[in-house]
Amino acid sequence: MADSVNGRYKYLQKIGEGVHGMVLKAQDLTIGKVVAIKKVSLRTKHGEISLSTVREIKALQHCECKYIMSLLDVFPDMTGLSLVFEFMPHTLYSILKNDSMPLSRSTIRSYASMLLHGVNYMHNIGIMHRDIKPANLLIDENNVLKIADFGLARIYSQNEDKSYSPQVASRWYRAPELLYGSSKYGSAVDMWAIGCVFAEMLRRVPLFNGNTDIEQLALVIKILGNPNIKDWPEINSLPDFKKIHFSHSKGESWQNVFPTCTTANEIALVDGLIQYNPKKRLTAAETLNLDYFTQFDGDVRKSTSKI
């Protein structure tokens, strides 16, 4: 690995590696600021143009929101492109895995608000993220949460009848319509994922942590009960609905799922998002109008405590 590129960025260390590329910590020598550089390939292993790279750049070019990671610079390298972002020392995933970094109730509410403001902005300009999860939610030194990794993002229109791949979103945060193989879906898949993330912040463990898609559905059904065609008529036409059969489950109450200290307003937020029928899930704007957020100041960062 070279020490610097074009005299501007000095690589410091490798900080991560995922499906879509390697992430390096670097120093921007022109402004003396630490940044994160994500190295991505322009082509897949089959020699085709990488759609995830194109989608990420295209989506980020459309976003100007303080709760979404800003793309600071793009430059070519020997293997493809390098995308430059501000450096964020934490992910929500790393915080949830670290018992020495407990989340206060005000911090959970602050993170939820910032996430919802960012997603509301995305949905308003026609972008589905399709991979909301703790590892893609970054936290800066001022405890501000920002949404990252737009490799699966799609620009969409509510008025267009488009088909999309159901193989999106990490399994634990994958909406039931995706698990049943639907290719006709919208921004509600992000809202299901947000409900799962919020529940995980309250519980410190994932709400649904299946090892396979079948197990994932089984865990959802265990808590929500079997999906009801009366409540979700469209489920009858989903590709895999009639292929998969589960034992009857009445479901569990949210009070039994969460710790005894969970408030009614917190449960109302989870219940508004963890709904089988995508049409019945709250939107980001509707969620922000719940009683859970009514005592929040205008600037969501005011109530945020340090990690």
Side-chain angles (χ1 to χ4, degrees):
M1 182 171 64
D3 291 333
S4 63
V5 176
N6 296 330
R8 177 168 182 175
Y9 300 105
K10 181 181 180 181
Y11 293 134
L12 302 176
Q13 65 184 92
K14 179 179 173 181
I15 55 176
E17 188 164 8
V19 176
H20 302 301
M22 178 172 58
V23 182
L24 304 167
K25 184 177 180 181
Q27 185 87 19
D28 185 338
L29 301 176
T30 63
I31 58 175
K33 184 178 180 180
V34 175
V35 296
I37 298 180
K38 182 177 180 180
K39 299 173 74 67
V40 295
S41 175
L42 272 177
R43 295 190 177 276
T44 67
K45 61 183 180 181
H46 304 295
E48 302 166 342
I49 295 294
S50 172
L51 291 179
S52 64
T53 300
V54 174
R55 286 172 183 164
E56 180 161 21
I57 294 173
K58 188 175 182 181
L60 288 168
Q61 287 176 335
H62 281 76
C63 292
E64 293 182 6
C65 174
K66 60 184 176 180
Y67 304 121
I68 295 175
M69 288 290 288
S70 298
L71 182 60
L72 304 177
D73 191 14
V74 180
F75 61 87
D77 58 33
M78 295 294 290
T79 59
L81 290 176
S82 287
L83 313 184
V84 183
F85 301 93
E86 59 189 299
F87 175 72
M88 307 283 276
H90 303 287
T91 66
L92 182 57
Y93 175 83
S94 66
I95 292 171
L96 290 171
K97 292 297 181 183
N98 189 341
D99 291 335
S100 68
M101 301 173 74
L103 291 177
S104 68
R105 291 314 242 272
S106 62
T107 300
I108 291 173
R109 185 171 64 172
S110 177
Y111 285 171
S113 181
M114 288 185 272
L115 171 57
L116 285 161
H117 275 90
V119 169
N120 186 49
Y121 173 87
M122 283 192 302
H123 290 175
N124 283 339
I125 63 172
I127 294 176
M128 288 187 288
H129 187 279
R130 303 198 303 174
D131 200 16
I132 297 290
K133 60 181 179 180
N136 287 340
L137 304 176
L138 308 189
I139 316 292
D140 73 8
E141 65 279 359
N142 295 314
N143 221 8
V144 175
L145 178 147
K146 298 192 179 188
I147 303 166
D149 201 336
F150 282 69
L152 291 176
R154 287 294 297 266
I155 296 173
Y156 74 102
S157 171
Q158 298 283 11
N159 300 320
E160 292 179 348
D161 186 27
K162 285 188 176 181
S163 294
Y164 306 102
S165 169
Q167 295 300 315
V168 295
S170 295
R171 181 180 296 115
W172 295 355
Y173 311 93
R174 191 176 296 162
E177 60 267 34
L178 299 175
L179 292 168
Y180 278 118
S182 176
S183 61
K184 302 285 187 179
Y185 58 84
S187 58
V189 300
D190 288 342
M191 302 314 300
W192 173 278
I194 291 173
C196 293
V197 169
F198 182 71
E200 190 169 342
M201 285 195 287
L202 294 174
R203 301 170 81 238
R204 301 287 299 197
V205 293
L207 183 59
F208 310 113
N209 57 348
N211 293 316
T212 66
D213 287 358
I214 301 295
E215 185 181 357
Q216 186 71 12
L217 268 173
L219 292 172
V220 171
I221 290 170
K222 179 182 177 183
I223 290 180
L224 296 189
N226 297 82
N228 188 317
I229 293 178
K230 181 179 178 181
D231 293 334
W232 186 15
E234 294 83 1
I235 193 175
N236 207 31
S237 62
L238 296 186
D240 297 333
F241 176 60
K242 295 179 181 178
K243 299 177 183 178
I244 308 170
H245 299 280
F246 296 94
S247 300
H248 179 71
S249 170
K250 293 182 179 180
E252 301 180 29
S253 69
W254 287 122
Q255 285 77 11
N256 289 337
V257 174
F258 289 97
T260 54
C261 59
T262 307
T263 67
N265 285 339
E266 289 167 333
I267 288 176
L269 192 156
V270 175
D271 187 60
L273 298 177
I274 304 298
Q275 294 278 337
Y276 274 125
N277 190 338
K279 295 178 181 178
K280 294 185 177 182
R281 281 175 220 147
L282 297 176
T283 65
E286 289 169 342
T287 308
L288 286 165
N289 283 326
L290 292 176
D291 290 344
Y292 178 67
F293 294 110
T294 56
Q295 296 179 355
F296 228 18
D297 293 334
D299 185 346
V300 294
R301 286 175 290 178
K302 289 182 180 177
S303 298
T304 309
S305 60
K306 289 287 185 182
I307 295 175

